[in-house]
């Protein structure tokens, strides 16, 4: 039960600290839509999504009004299309992306994830079709998000896929260059992708999930910052306890919303993802938390330690509040979506190399980073390989959502709009990794992966 005290405290967090439910995401299984005819497959996909999710936005809006809790996004994730559409006789899945986009628009959600492939050990023909379709699919749709998993701790890293994804990102950037290469903001390359992530752009409905589930993502960097203001000058034990208690309270809000959404939609509850996901608004920033902890700017010496502390205690507090904490749960560091990170990048306090170091201890990886449009594809592949190696060796999810902004260079700014925000173009190491990337094959799994 949620107590009256918790309700009062929650209202205070909403009014003063920008607490919100970042997303209610409905995961939908599309395996039963399989058909050799691509048109029939698309019809089945559209019908299933619009049937399952017909009340998702309405229920989200009702819960927002009833509890006074802002529910920023209502979204959908589906079975990776490379799996669901594998039986189709076609050489392109662009029409599937357009079907997903139309279904998302008709039910009123802002994003739909799952134009995805899992290729950590190799590519099937369907995987190749999907990957080749990504640039055009992101050009002709508004709400579709795409992801490709290129590595896992158990399987190693598929370097052929890593090389190809560097090329795909460049192609997507070219095709959407009129909008500062916006297509790349809806494309994530993963290592150790999870099946129940409610956050975009990397959400997909895993094959181990139920037919339809509700996953909720809660975010509250402003709440954590406000709590830490009361611990100024205190030791790290006090700081950790403060973060844990705050994460517990935030997760309880998500639990309430998830349970009610599940009941009203008649769909099983999946997980709560407690990820401190920032927005471009002042007061809703991970970088501001770093400053509250005593760092002059994000990127200063000590930033990685501060992020490790934050991430670990967010998880500890969250798991005490709900039996089903999942997804990515921790702290996100997307540059374009955090005004403090943007400012730190603009003045040179935060570099790409420092961000990479920080991804060793955060929830995801290199996220929403704008780089010069003339960056070679193999350099992007090298960045993906580095980030995948961090995930593989450390048995954690890592990701790359990087945007080579065509026609712009270091010192300029890319504008993506809405929650995606804006980002300064960050410099990239100019030395080549082409011969390394061209080797191809697979980097084997680390020795500690063999735990059976």
């Amino acid at each position: 039960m949620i107590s009256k005290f918790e309700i009062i405290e929650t209202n205070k967090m909403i009014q003063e600290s920008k607490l919100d439910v970042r997303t209610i995401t409905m995961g939908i299984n599309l395996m039963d839509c399989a058909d050799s005819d691509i048109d029939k497959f698309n019809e089945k996909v559209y019908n299933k999504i619009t049937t399952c999710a017909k009340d998702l936005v309405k229920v989200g809006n009702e819960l927002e009004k009833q509890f006074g809790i802002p529910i920023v996004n209502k979204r959908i994730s589906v079975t990776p299309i490379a799996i669901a559409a594998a039986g189709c006789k076609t050489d392109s899945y662009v029409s599937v992306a357009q079907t997903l986009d139309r279904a998302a628009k008709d039910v009123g959600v802002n994003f739909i994830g799952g134009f995805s492939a899992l290729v950590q050990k190799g590519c099937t023909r369907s995987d190749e079709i999907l990957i080749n379709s990504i640039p055009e699919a992101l050009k002709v749709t508004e709400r579709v998000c795409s992801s490709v998993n290129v590595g896992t701790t158990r399987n190693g890293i598929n370097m052929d896929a890593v090389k190809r994804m560097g090329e795909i990102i460049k192609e997507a950037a070219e095709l959407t260059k009129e909008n500062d290469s916006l297509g790349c903001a809806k494309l994530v390359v993963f290592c150790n992708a999870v099946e129940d992530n409610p956050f975009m752009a990397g959400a997909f409905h895993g094959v181990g999930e139920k037919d339809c589930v509700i996953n909720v993502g809660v975010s509250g960097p402003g709440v954590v910052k406000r709590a830490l203001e009361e611990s100024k000058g205190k030791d790290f034990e006090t700081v950790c306890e403060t973060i844990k208690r705050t994460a517990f309270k935030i997760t309880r809000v998500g639990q309430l919303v998830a349970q009610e959404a599940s009941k009203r939609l008649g769909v099983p509850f999946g997980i709560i993802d407690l990820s401190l996901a920032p927005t471009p608004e002042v007061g809703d920033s991970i970088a501001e938390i770093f400053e509250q902890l005593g760092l002059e700017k994000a990127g200063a010496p000590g930033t990685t330690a501060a992020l490790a502390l934050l991430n670990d205690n967010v998880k500890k507090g969250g798991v005490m509040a709900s039996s089903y904490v999942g997804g990515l749960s921790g702290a996100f560091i997307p540059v374009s979506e955090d005004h403090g990170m943007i400012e730190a990048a603009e003045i040179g306090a935060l570099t790409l190399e420092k961000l990479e170091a920080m991804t060793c201890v955060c929830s995801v990886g290199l996220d929403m980073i704008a780089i010069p449009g003339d960056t070679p594809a193999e350099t992007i592949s090298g960045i993906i390989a580095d980030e995948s190696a961090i995930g593989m060796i450390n048995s954690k999810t890592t990701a790359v959502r990087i945007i080579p902004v065509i026609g712009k260079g270091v010192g300029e700014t890319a504008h993506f709009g809405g929650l995606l925000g804006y980002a300064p173009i960050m410099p990239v190491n100019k030395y080549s990794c082409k011969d390394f990337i061209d080797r191809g094959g697979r980097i084997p799994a680390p020795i500690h992966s063999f735990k059976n």
Side-chain angles (χ1 to χ4, degrees), residues 139-150:
K139 177 187 177 182
V140 300
T141 61
E142 294 179 8
R143 304 172 192 228
V144 171
C145 291
S146 180
S147 60
V148 177
N149 191 71
V150 298

Side-chain angles (χ1 to χ4, degrees), residues 18 34 72 80 82 95 122 150 170 212-213 238 242 259-260 303 318 355 400 414 446:
K18 301 183 185 297
V72 181
S95 68
V150 298
K170 284 285 288 191
C212 187
V213 296
T238 303
T242 300
Q259 288 173 339
E260 282 297 316
T303 300
L355 281 164
V400 173

Side-chain angles (χ1 to χ4, degrees), residues 151-371:
T152 68
T153 299
R154 289 287 295 181
N155 300 119
I157 303 170
N158 181 350
M159 290 300 291
D160 292 324
V162 167
K163 178 180 179 181
R164 184 67 182 126
M165 288 313 299
E167 298 165 351
I168 290 294
I169 289 170
K170 284 285 288 191
E171 291 173 27
E174 285 284 352
L175 288 180
T176 56
K177 61 183 179 183
E178 318 81 36
N179 298 313
D180 279 351
S181 302
L182 179 62
C184 298
K186 297 182 286 180
L187 172 59
V188 183
V189 184
F190 276 115
C191 179
N192 289 323
V194 298
E195 296 189 330
D196 55 5
N197 169 24
F199 285 98
M200 299 295 169
F204 62 84
H205 186 68
V207 295
E209 296 287 313
K210 295 180 180 179
D211 195 55
C212 187
V213 296
I214 288 293
N215 297 321
V216 170
V218 185
S219 181
V223 181
V224 174
K225 175 180 175 286
R226 177 64 68 90
L228 288 173
E229 288 174 358
E230 300 174 9
S231 302
K232 192 170 184 178
K234 302 290 180 62
D235 61 21
F236 283 112
E237 183 178 357
T238 303
V239 167
C240 292
E241 287 300 315
T242 300
I243 294 171
K244 281 191 290 186
R245 287 197 302 270
T246 306
F248 177 89
K249 297 169 188 175
I250 295 170
T251 306
R252 293 285 281 175
V253 173
Q255 181 86 351
L256 171 65
V257 171
Q259 288 173 339
E260 282 297 316
S262 171
K263 183 165 60 176
R264 296 185 191 193
L265 290 165
V267 173
F269 161 52
I271 57 92
I272 300 293
D273 185 317
L274 176 62
S275 289
L276 297 183
T279 71
E281 291 187 40
V282 174
D284 201 23
S285 163
I286 299 296
E288 288 183 355
I289 295 176
F290 296 153
E291 293 171 16
Q292 195 62 48
L293 288 170
L295 302 174
E296 185 176 2
K297 288 291 177 187
T303 300
T304 305
L307 182 57
L309 178 155
L310 176 63
N311 209 53
D312 183 55
N313 286 285
V314 163
K315 292 176 186 287
K316 286 174 178 174
V319 297
M320 291 298 293
S322 173
S323 298
Y324 297 104
V325 172
L328 299 168
S329 289
F332 287 3
I333 51 170
V335 173
S336 79
E337 299 172 14
D338 185 317
H339 85 91
M341 302 286 273
I342 294 167
E343 183 181 315
E346 287 175 335
I347 65 175
L350 192 63
T351 65
L352 191 58
E353 288 75 18
K354 183 60 176 179
L355 281 164
E356 183 180 298
M358 291 164 66
T359 64
C360 296
V361 298
C362 79
S363 281
V364 193
L366 296 171
D367 196 13
M368 288 302 292
I369 296 170
I371 60 174

Side-chain angles (χ1 to χ4, degrees), residues 20 30 56 80 90 96 113 121 223 320 352 365 374 403 425 432 450:
D20 60 52
L30 298 183
L56 177 62
T90 182
V96 181
K121 209 170 182 181
V223 181
M320 291 298 293
L352 191 58
D374 60 1
I403 304 117
I425 311 296
S432 176
F450 302 106

